[in-house]
Structures are given as structure tokens and as C-alpha cells.
Amino acid sequence: MSVDVKHERWKCIACGACAAVTPKFWVMDDNDFKADLISSLHTNITEGLLETRTVDGDAQDEKDLKESEEACPVECIHVNKT
């Protein structure tokens, strides 16, 4: 099972919901307090920093990532099965 995760970091409001729900994949930055997707590729685009990662895991990983997507109040996390 493979899941693509995109995090539009510039939209993050540092609420910590994703890290609380799924600390295996999310950590809060010590400097600006925004969420970071662990082991992600960082790309600067016009809007800001985009973090991307493909997770090759099991059904539980997919479920956990979907929970973090749903917990985000500003909808800056996008999880898609590949």
C-alpha cells in the first residue's frame, strides 16, 4: 500500500492536531511552531513551502494519515492512495 501526502505548510496555523493524532508522521517545528511532515521532500513554490512524501506502509498507516488530514482545521494536508 502506498499513500502520497502533501502538506501546504504555508497554510498551517500551528494548531498541532496532526501531530497529536499521528505523531509517527508529524512533528511541530521548534522555531515557527508549524507542523512538519517527517522525512518529506521540501519544495518552495509560489505560495510557500510544500512538503511531500510517499508512504509505503500498511492499512493502519493510511488510516492514521487520513485521520491527520481530517483533523486539520485549515485543510492543508492532502492524502491520496496511489
Side-chain angles (χ1 to χ4, degrees):
M1 185 270 333
S2 191
V3 175
D4 285 333
V5 184
K6 292 184 181 180
H7 178 227
E8 299 168 319
R9 195 173 188 279
W10 68 92
K11 292 180 180 178
C12 181
I13 60 170
C15 72
C18 57
V21 170
T22 316
K24 178 179 178 180
F25 295 106
W26 301 96
V27 64
M28 302 308 290
D29 185 278
D30 289 335
N31 295 314
D32 66 3
F33 309 107
K34 292 185 177 190
D36 282 318
L37 177 58
I38 297 170
S39 300
S40 63
L41 174 66
H42 294 187
T43 306
N44 284 309
I45 62 173
T46 303
E47 295 87 349
L49 184 64
L50 178 66
E51 296 178 320
T52 57
R53 176 179 173 186
T54 299
V55 175
D56 295 315
D58 56 20
Q60 185 62 49
D61 286 339
E62 179 184 1
K63 180 179 180 264
D64 291 345
L65 286 163
K66 282 301 229 181
E67 281 185 37
S68 63
E69 177 185 41
E70 292 167 5
C72 180
V74 294
E75 300 178 353
C76 66
I77 300 170
H78 308 282
V79 178
N80 296 298
K81 201 174 195 177
T82 57

